[in-house]
Amino acid sequence: MLTWTVLARLAIVATLPLLLMARLPSGEVMGGFLLTGLALLHCPYRPVRLAGITLLFLAWACNDARLMVRDVEKFSAHSATYTLQISELRKERKQIRVRLLKEEGRMIFPPRFAWIWFDADPQIYCPGQRWTMQLRLRPVHARLNEGDFDAQRFALANNTPLQGRILKQTAVSDRCDSRWRFILWHRDRTRAMPARATLEALAFGIRDEMSQQTRQLLRDTGTAHLMAISGMHIALAASTGWMIARGVQFILPARYISYLFPLIVSWLFAAIYTWLSGAQPPAERSLLALTLWAITRFAGVQLNGWQVWTFCIALLLVTDPLTVLSESFWLSVLAVGMLLVWYHWFPLPASFRQQRRWIPLQLLHLQAGMMILMVPLQVAIFNGISLTALVANIVAIPVVSFITMPLVTLALLLPVAHLSGFFWGAADLSLRALFHCLTLLPPGWWPLSGTTWFTVMVWGGLILWRAQLFFSLPLSSGALALAMILSRQPEQEQGWRIDMLDIGHGLSLVISQGDEAVMYDTGPRWQNDNAGSRVIIPWLERRQLRLKQVILSHKHLDHTGGLKAITQRWPAVEVRSALADEAHLPCVRGTQWHWRQLHFRVVWPLTAPLPGGNNDSCVVIVDDGQVRLMLTGDIEAKAERQLVALEKQGLKVDILQVPHHGSRTSSTSLLLRKAAGQTAIASLARYNAWRMPAKNVLENYRTAGFRWLDTGQSGQISIRIEQGRAQVSTLREQLMPRWYHQWFGVKRESR
């Protein structure tokens, strides 16, 4: 018998392949899915009919993804005039998030969103305005490294796959929407409060003004989830509405009291709070789930916890199949699932579940379950866990749930400025007290990797405990635990490895042997961050590598931007350069050293110290006796000619780091003939202002017989060298080929 529960499960299963597909099915294959599914529905055998329904759901999910890719390709092909509505404003970044309504007068359905950079005064923009803009749109193309945050997947999951800039603009309606006017009114009440940025994050979902120190504190203590609008906040808003409705019912005659009134009010409170918070995808998903639950209550349908959980997931995936790509979706879904498992398998004794005096113990039991069961997922997504999260959340969750959020709700509900300001002040005081308590905790962030090991260790251990195998089979269980602990030791790779990280426009290359690493350049520095703290340090920690030395090619910020963060993280690391810094080891022609099986030889520059321009780059040849790698930094044609004249036959290598990111001022035919290598690897950004790599440079490498690879096209580039053989792997094409990682838009287009 086909039930709604079975149908929901089939919808979930059919959508999951979008996570793993390397390519989306073609239109012909989609038609085959549809026809086959319809044909199987008429089969008398139940398993066959279920397979047919699954194919139909799969066709639906793949079609949604194909429509997204089609629109991305279409809108990024050329500039066009759009009618749009501003949905979000980021003044500090000079960005607006817009909803594309019409293209050249034609309605866009389904509507798409894009992030647009602007150069004008931010004061002229506000959410709710309608504009006619000529835009040059391009697909979101993010840095792609092993284990790093996947911004391209995030953009598709949140229906914002485009970014661009304004060519021309004309205002259609300059009136801000009521939500933004409401926010501005309340900003006047909170302007002078120390915790204003966090209050805005809780009330309106605006997190742009939160300081880096606050973000780091929340991350280290495992409480960041409290400041991001999620299902918990929607539930708190709904609970507030329910309690207010129940309070009103106390003064009503009995004949007017019904269970429907609190249910309706709680849903309205949740809907209003979702709207106030900007209707971000996590909030929308939570409201949709709450709506489904409310409908079942209205209809008088009794469902258990697992059925409600299944229906909510299926509804979310059917209405928007690309939700399956969202990490926040999986965090929410699995968190609720873990709670159901925890309370069914590891409940508190009945005596501790009834009386109110045991509420602290109940909260501890809840938090312990979440911490234990969510460890594998946290390691998979965040590459670490917080050791202080249990203590921090025991304090933070009650404060935010029962003090701060009710005060914020009251402040939002009261239209009187003085009363609203009083409750805002009380909420600010509660947050400041909470942050003070969190700062007293020791640093608790523990970077980790190896999701499989944690999954087996945590969940396997709980299964053994629940099945009481620890007591019936103590020796076998102990042996299994010991084997898992010993297997935690990282495998020592034979040979050595080269990893060119995808850090945008700049350079950072890691050479590793076993658990040690040497780095050539440290990537760029941006306005508010740098490649060292954002990309390099987390990557090294995930690989469990100890950094021994940093070689700086030259002084430019796209090569040295991450140095400060790296030396702060590892103060004992050696730095080698040709710059005027007495703390640096020399990097000048004639310098040689050995590191394990590798020999390093500096062939350029001739003297030191130097100003640190492109032609002052420290050029190093690395070899193990069989395979040779040449690191060139940003040398240009002049230095290339001098280097060839000096070395003559000594420049023959197998792997060449492309000089100056593939600029037309470098990579001369003379150098490439002398190198006579097989593989050329370049570090560059897809949308770089200099349109690198130059077409003539690409042609030079093809003519010289090189295989060209660059991080803009392929993401992280990894080369494993063992017994004289080099195995090249690229993240986008080989290590993690996914349809949502593809190079959307025009090939080799830089703008």
Side-chain angles (χ1 to χ4, degrees), residues 376-377 450-461:
L377 192 64
T451 309
T452 303
W453 182 86
F454 271 101
T455 303
V456 174
M457 189 73 178
V458 175
W459 292 351

Side-chain angles (χ1 to χ4, degrees), residues 128 136 149 162 196 240 242 267 271 291 294 296 382 401 456 714-715:
R136 180 68 176 97
F149 172 70
L162 295 162
R196 176 182 61 85
T240 303
W242 186 89
W267 185 90
T291 303
T296 61
F382 304 113
S401 301
V456 174
S714 302

Side-chain angles (χ1 to χ4, degrees), residues 3-13 57 310-311 313-315:
T3 63
W4 286 105
T5 304
V6 173
L7 199 62
R9 292 170 181 170
L10 294 178
I12 297 170
V13 170
F57 279 127
T310 303
F311 287 149
I313 298 172
L315 180 62

Side-chain angles (χ1 to χ4, degrees), residues 470-659:
F470 280 131
F471 307 101
S472 59
L473 300 171
L475 293 178
S476 300
S477 301
L480 180 61
L482 183 62
M484 287 191 293
I485 294 172
L486 295 176
S487 69
R488 183 70 184 118
Q489 301 299 321
E491 296 182 5
Q492 297 292 324
E493 293 185 1
Q494 299 297 320
W496 52 295
R497 170 167 164 163
I498 304 164
D499 290 284
M500 179 174 278
L501 303 184
D502 185 6
I503 44 84
H505 181 76
L507 177 63
S508 181
L509 186 143
V510 179
I511 301 172
S512 58
Q513 297 182 90
D515 61 348
E516 295 182 348
V518 170
M519 177 173 292
Y520 186 78
D521 282 342
T522 61
R525 186 171 70 204
W526 308 294
Q527 185 177 1
N528 300 314
D529 209 344
N530 62 87
S533 56
R534 177 70 67 85
V535 179
I536 298 170
I537 294 174
W539 188 90
L540 291 171
E541 290 177 340
R542 284 192 296 271
R543 290 281 316 282
Q544 301 179 36
L545 294 173
R546 292 183 291 118
L547 189 61
K548 304 295 290 185
Q549 187 177 102
V550 173
I551 306 171
L552 296 180
S553 63
H554 63 299
K555 197 174 182 178
H556 292 169
L557 278 180
D558 59 330
H559 293 252
T560 61
L563 180 63
K564 184 179 179 180
I566 290 171
T567 53
Q568 288 177 344
R569 175 63 179 85
W570 295 288
V573 70
E574 297 176 342
V575 181
R576 186 181 295 273
S577 77
L579 305 176
D581 193 321
E582 296 181 354
H584 292 185
L585 297 173
C587 194
V588 65
R589 181 175 174 82
T591 306
Q592 301 185 52
W593 70 95
H594 283 87
W595 171 53
R596 293 192 174 184
Q597 63 177 307
L598 296 180
H599 176 247
F600 291 74
R601 180 168 67 94
V602 181
V603 296
W604 187 266
L606 299 178
T607 60
L610 294 168
N614 287 342
N615 282 328
D616 301 328
S617 295
C618 182
V619 180
V620 185
I621 294 179
V622 186
D623 74 271
D624 62 356
Q626 295 177 291
V627 177
R628 289 162 59 92
L629 161 71
M630 182 158 65
L631 305 171
T632 62
D634 275 359
I635 60 170
E636 297 182 326
K638 180 182 178 181
E640 290 178 8
R641 287 192 294 268
Q642 292 178 304
L643 183 58
V644 170
L646 288 168
E647 283 294 312
K648 296 188 174 24
Q649 302 301 319
L651 292 179
K652 183 174 174 53
V653 296
D654 302 282
I655 305 164
L656 175 65
Q657 176 252 311
V658 174

